[in-house]
Amino acid sequence: MKEEKLITVTSPLLPDLDDFHEMLQQIWNSRWITNNGSFHKQLEKELAAYLKVPFVSLFTNGTLPLITALQALHITGEVITTPYSFVATTHALWWNGIKPVFVDVDLSTGNIDPDKIESAITPRTTAIMPVHVYGKPCNTKRIKEIADKYGLKVIYDAAHAFGVEVNGESILNAGDMSTLSFHATKVYNTIEGGAMVMHDEETKRRIDYLKNFGFNGETEVIAPGINSKMDEMRAAYGLLNLKQVDAAIEARHQVAIRYRDVLRNVKGISFFDDMPGVKHNYSYFPIFIDAENYGMTRNELYEKMRASNILGRRYFYPLISEFSTYKGLESSRKDNLPNAHKMADSVICLPMHHMLGEEDVERIIKLIIN
Ligand SMILES: *Cc1c(COP(=O)(O)O)cnc(C)c1O
C-alpha cells in the first residue's frame, strides 16, 4: 500500500524568504541585532494596533511574560488556575514559589468555571490565572466581579487568543495583564516569541525594565529583572507574518466550517461552535469522543489516525494536575476536577492550519466517519 502524505496537526506560518532576506539585510546594515531595535519597536506598535490594545511588550517566548507578570504584580501565596491547559501556565506559578489551586472547567467552553472559583479562595489567595483555552474567551465579566470582591489580581494566559475579540473589543484587554505566545505552533508566530499586554504606559515601562535585568539606563538597576528580550531577526519575521495572519486565520476558518458541516452528523462526536459576538482565531479544532456512541475510544481513533499518517494531538491530556510535580496538591484530586478529566480523556485536536488542502480535509473526515 502506498504511504499517504503526512498531515501534521499544525504547520507554521512562514514569511516569504526574499522579503525576510531584505529585512535581514537592513539589520546587517544597522548592526543593531537586539535590545529594543527598530524592528522591535515597530512590531510592538503594529501589534498593539492590530490587536486593539493600548500597550504591548515583546518577549522571547510565551512563558516568560507569565512569570514576569506574576513578579511585576508581586503575586505570592496561592493562585487559582485551570488544570486544562499547557503545562507552562502552572509552571509560571511554581517558578515564583506560588501554590497553584486548580478549579474545574466549564464543559461548554473548556475554560475555568467562574461558579467554582469562590469556594477555592482562601486567605492566602492573591490572584486568578485563567486561560482562554483554544482561544475561546473566558467569562471575563464574572471573573472580574469575583476578583474585585476579594481584591484579587487577574492574569490571563492568552497564549491561544491572538486576535480574539468579543463584541469588537479585544479579549486581551481583560484582567490586569494578558500574555501571548508566538511559538511556531501558534496562529501567529515569531518562531519562538511572546508578548505581554497591559493597560498603561507606566506598567509597560516597568515590564520593559524587568525583561532586561531591571536596567534603567546604563548604570542603574531598579529591580531584579530577567532577560527575556526578543531580538531584531524575530521582530522582522514577526512584522512579515503580521501581514499574512488574517489570510491564515481565514483559511483555518474554512477548514473549521467543513469539519463542522460533516462532523455535526456523526454520532458520538462533539465540538465547539462559534460563540455569538466573538471573532475567533480558529487556533485549534478539538473534538470530543463519546466512545459508547462513536463505537471507538479516543485513543483508538488517535491511533487509527496515526496509522493513516494523520497526526492529531491530545491537547490537553494528561491534565496539568496529573503531572508528578502537581499531583500531590489537594486541588489535584480527581473528584475536584470531573469536567477537566472528562475533556482530557475524550479530546483529540484535529489538524488545523492554513496549509491544509481540501483533499487533506476530506481524507481526515473520511477516516473519522468510517
Ligand atoms: C504555548 C503556550 C504557552 C507557552 O508559550 P511558549 O511560547 O511556548 O513559551 C503558555 N500557555 C499556553 C496555554 C500555551 O498554549
PDB file of all heavy atoms in Angstrom, residues 274-288:
ATOM      1  N   ASP A 274     -18.937  28.304  16.992  1.00  0.00           N
ATOM      2  CA  ASP A 274     -18.542  29.691  17.241  1.00  0.00           C
ATOM      3  C   ASP A 274     -19.473  30.278  18.288  1.00  0.00           C
ATOM      4  O   ASP A 274     -20.651  29.907  18.365  1.00  0.00           O
ATOM      5  CB  ASP A 274     -18.631  30.514  15.944  1.00  0.00           C
ATOM      6  CG  ASP A 274     -17.459  30.212  15.012  1.00  0.00           C
ATOM      7  OD1 ASP A 274     -16.571  29.434  15.403  1.00  0.00           O
ATOM      8  OD2 ASP A 274     -17.445  30.758  13.894  1.00  0.00           O
ATOM      9  N   MET A 275     -18.942  31.214  19.091  1.00  0.00           N
ATOM     10  CA  MET A 275     -19.757  31.855  20.124  1.00  0.00           C
ATOM     11  C   MET A 275     -20.309  33.168  19.562  1.00  0.00           C
ATOM     12  O   MET A 275     -19.597  33.873  18.842  1.00  0.00           O
ATOM     13  CB  MET A 275     -18.902  32.130  21.375  1.00  0.00           C
ATOM     14  CG  MET A 275     -18.479  30.845  22.091  1.00  0.00           C
ATOM     15  SD  MET A 275     -17.033  31.072  23.177  1.00  0.00           S
ATOM     16  CE  MET A 275     -17.774  31.943  24.547  1.00  0.00           C
ATOM     17  N   PRO A 276     -21.568  33.508  19.899  1.00  0.00           N
ATOM     18  CA  PRO A 276     -22.149  34.734  19.355  1.00  0.00           C
ATOM     19  C   PRO A 276     -21.348  35.977  19.763  1.00  0.00           C
ATOM     20  O   PRO A 276     -20.917  36.082  20.910  1.00  0.00           O
ATOM     21  CB  PRO A 276     -23.565  34.775  19.967  1.00  0.00           C
ATOM     22  CG  PRO A 276     -23.597  33.726  21.021  1.00  0.00           C
ATOM     23  CD  PRO A 276     -22.496  32.760  20.757  1.00  0.00           C
ATOM     24  N   GLY A 277     -21.123  36.874  18.806  1.00  0.00           N
ATOM     25  CA  GLY A 277     -20.413  38.132  19.078  1.00  0.00           C
ATOM     26  C   GLY A 277     -18.906  37.983  19.176  1.00  0.00           C
ATOM     27  O   GLY A 277     -18.195  38.956  19.422  1.00  0.00           O
ATOM     28  N   VAL A 278     -18.397  36.755  18.973  1.00  0.00           N
ATOM     29  CA  VAL A 278     -16.959  36.531  19.135  1.00  0.00           C
ATOM     30  C   VAL A 278     -16.269  36.404  17.773  1.00  0.00           C
ATOM     31  O   VAL A 278     -16.748  35.696  16.893  1.00  0.00           O
ATOM     32  CB  VAL A 278     -16.690  35.255  19.971  1.00  0.00           C
ATOM     33  CG1 VAL A 278     -15.198  34.941  20.023  1.00  0.00           C
ATOM     34  CG2 VAL A 278     -17.244  35.426  21.380  1.00  0.00           C
ATOM     35  N   LYS A 279     -15.150  37.126  17.633  1.00  0.00           N
ATOM     36  CA  LYS A 279     -14.282  36.925  16.471  1.00  0.00           C
ATOM     37  C   LYS A 279     -13.245  35.889  16.882  1.00  0.00           C
ATOM     38  O   LYS A 279     -12.392  36.154  17.729  1.00  0.00           O
ATOM     39  CB  LYS A 279     -13.614  38.248  16.096  1.00  0.00           C
ATOM     40  CG  LYS A 279     -12.755  38.175  14.868  1.00  0.00           C
ATOM     41  CD  LYS A 279     -12.144  39.543  14.561  1.00  0.00           C
ATOM     42  CE  LYS A 279     -10.981  39.399  13.603  1.00  0.00           C
ATOM     43  NZ  LYS A 279     -10.099  40.569  13.686  1.00  0.00           N
ATOM     44  N   HIS A 280     -13.363  34.700  16.309  1.00  0.00           N
ATOM     45  CA  HIS A 280     -12.475  33.595  16.689  1.00  0.00           C
ATOM     46  C   HIS A 280     -11.203  33.585  15.841  1.00  0.00           C
ATOM     47  O   HIS A 280     -11.164  34.191  14.775  1.00  0.00           O
ATOM     48  CB  HIS A 280     -13.216  32.262  16.498  1.00  0.00           C
ATOM     49  CG  HIS A 280     -14.330  32.044  17.486  1.00  0.00           C
ATOM     50  ND1 HIS A 280     -14.120  31.587  18.754  1.00  0.00           N
ATOM     51  CD2 HIS A 280     -15.674  32.242  17.377  1.00  0.00           C
ATOM     52  CE1 HIS A 280     -15.268  31.488  19.391  1.00  0.00           C
ATOM     53  NE2 HIS A 280     -16.237  31.891  18.577  1.00  0.00           N
ATOM     54  N   ASN A 281     -10.212  32.852  16.322  1.00  0.00           N
ATOM     55  CA  ASN A 281      -8.983  32.748  15.511  1.00  0.00           C
ATOM     56  C   ASN A 281      -8.737  31.327  14.981  1.00  0.00           C
ATOM     57  O   ASN A 281      -7.755  31.086  14.306  1.00  0.00           O
ATOM     58  CB  ASN A 281      -7.771  33.252  16.302  1.00  0.00           C
ATOM     59  CG  ASN A 281      -7.459  32.389  17.521  1.00  0.00           C
ATOM     60  OD1 ASN A 281      -8.050  31.329  17.707  1.00  0.00           O
ATOM     61  ND2 ASN A 281      -6.523  32.835  18.340  1.00  0.00           N
ATOM     62  N   TYR A 282      -9.624  30.401  15.305  1.00  0.00           N
ATOM     63  CA  TYR A 282      -9.552  29.027  14.785  1.00  0.00           C
ATOM     64  C   TYR A 282      -8.178  28.407  15.028  1.00  0.00           C
ATOM     65  O   TYR A 282      -7.607  27.731  14.178  1.00  0.00           O
ATOM     66  CB  TYR A 282      -9.967  28.985  13.307  1.00  0.00           C
ATOM     67  CG  TYR A 282     -11.321  29.618  13.151  1.00  0.00           C
ATOM     68  CD1 TYR A 282     -11.444  30.944  12.740  1.00  0.00           C
ATOM     69  CD2 TYR A 282     -12.462  28.940  13.520  1.00  0.00           C
ATOM     70  CE1 TYR A 282     -12.689  31.561  12.688  1.00  0.00           C
ATOM     71  CE2 TYR A 282     -13.711  29.539  13.474  1.00  0.00           C
ATOM     72  CZ  TYR A 282     -13.814  30.852  13.056  1.00  0.00           C
ATOM     73  OH  TYR A 282     -15.032  31.455  13.013  1.00  0.00           O
ATOM     74  N   SER A 283      -7.663  28.649  16.236  1.00  0.00           N
ATOM     75  CA  SER A 283      -6.324  28.172  16.550  1.00  0.00           C
ATOM     76  C   SER A 283      -6.266  26.656  16.701  1.00  0.00           C
ATOM     77  O   SER A 283      -5.244  26.048  16.407  1.00  0.00           O
ATOM     78  CB  SER A 283      -5.810  28.851  17.822  1.00  0.00           C
ATOM     79  OG  SER A 283      -6.801  28.857  18.818  1.00  0.00           O
ATOM     80  N   TYR A 284      -7.362  26.067  17.156  1.00  0.00           N
ATOM     81  CA  TYR A 284      -7.395  24.606  17.343  1.00  0.00           C
ATOM     82  C   TYR A 284      -8.773  24.108  16.936  1.00  0.00           C
ATOM     83  O   TYR A 284      -9.742  24.860  16.977  1.00  0.00           O
ATOM     84  CB  TYR A 284      -7.152  24.230  18.818  1.00  0.00           C
ATOM     85  CG  TYR A 284      -5.818  24.714  19.331  1.00  0.00           C
ATOM     86  CD1 TYR A 284      -5.688  25.988  19.884  1.00  0.00           C
ATOM     87  CD2 TYR A 284      -4.691  23.906  19.247  1.00  0.00           C
ATOM     88  CE1 TYR A 284      -4.452  26.451  20.339  1.00  0.00           C
ATOM     89  CE2 TYR A 284      -3.456  24.355  19.704  1.00  0.00           C
ATOM     90  CZ  TYR A 284      -3.348  25.624  20.246  1.00  0.00           C
ATOM     91  OH  TYR A 284      -2.130  26.070  20.689  1.00  0.00           O
ATOM     92  N   PHE A 285      -8.846  22.813  16.578  1.00  0.00           N
ATOM     93  CA  PHE A 285     -10.163  22.220  16.354  1.00  0.00           C
ATOM     94  C   PHE A 285     -10.289  20.943  17.180  1.00  0.00           C
ATOM     95  O   PHE A 285     -10.070  19.829  16.692  1.00  0.00           O
ATOM     96  CB  PHE A 285     -10.448  21.948  14.869  1.00  0.00           C
ATOM     97  CG  PHE A 285     -11.918  21.735  14.624  1.00  0.00           C
ATOM     98  CD1 PHE A 285     -12.746  22.804  14.320  1.00  0.00           C
ATOM     99  CD2 PHE A 285     -12.488  20.469  14.758  1.00  0.00           C
ATOM    100  CE1 PHE A 285     -14.117  22.632  14.140  1.00  0.00           C
ATOM    101  CE2 PHE A 285     -13.857  20.283  14.584  1.00  0.00           C
ATOM    102  CZ  PHE A 285     -14.673  21.367  14.270  1.00  0.00           C
ATOM    103  N   PRO A 286     -10.641  21.091  18.473  1.00  0.00           N
ATOM    104  CA  PRO A 286     -10.784  19.919  19.323  1.00  0.00           C
ATOM    105  C   PRO A 286     -12.116  19.211  19.067  1.00  0.00           C
ATOM    106  O   PRO A 286     -13.146  19.877  18.898  1.00  0.00           O
ATOM    107  CB  PRO A 286     -10.768  20.509  20.737  1.00  0.00           C
ATOM    108  CG  PRO A 286     -11.248  21.923  20.574  1.00  0.00           C
ATOM    109  CD  PRO A 286     -10.859  22.358  19.194  1.00  0.00           C
ATOM    110  N   ILE A 287     -12.067  17.890  19.012  1.00  0.00           N
ATOM    111  CA  ILE A 287     -13.311  17.117  19.018  1.00  0.00           C
ATOM    112  C   ILE A 287     -13.284  16.216  20.253  1.00  0.00           C
ATOM    113  O   ILE A 287     -12.209  15.895  20.770  1.00  0.00           O
ATOM    114  CB  ILE A 287     -13.514  16.264  17.732  1.00  0.00           C
ATOM    115  CG1 ILE A 287     -12.391  15.236  17.558  1.00  0.00           C
ATOM    116  CG2 ILE A 287     -13.652  17.155  16.515  1.00  0.00           C
ATOM    117  CD1 ILE A 287     -12.669  14.224  16.448  1.00  0.00           C
ATOM    118  N   PHE A 288     -14.473  15.848  20.724  1.00  0.00           N
ATOM    119  CA  PHE A 288     -14.585  15.047  21.949  1.00  0.00           C
ATOM    120  C   PHE A 288     -15.338  13.772  21.610  1.00  0.00           C
ATOM    121  O   PHE A 288     -16.418  13.820  21.016  1.00  0.00           O
ATOM    122  CB  PHE A 288     -15.287  15.865  23.038  1.00  0.00           C
ATOM    123  CG  PHE A 288     -14.534  17.130  23.360  1.00  0.00           C
ATOM    124  CD1 PHE A 288     -14.785  18.317  22.666  1.00  0.00           C
ATOM    125  CD2 PHE A 288     -13.527  17.116  24.320  1.00  0.00           C
ATOM    126  CE1 PHE A 288     -14.059  19.479  22.935  1.00  0.00           C
ATOM    127  CE2 PHE A 288     -12.795  18.277  24.594  1.00  0.00           C
ATOM    128  CZ  PHE A 288     -13.068  19.452  23.898  1.00  0.00           C
TER     129      PHE A 288
END
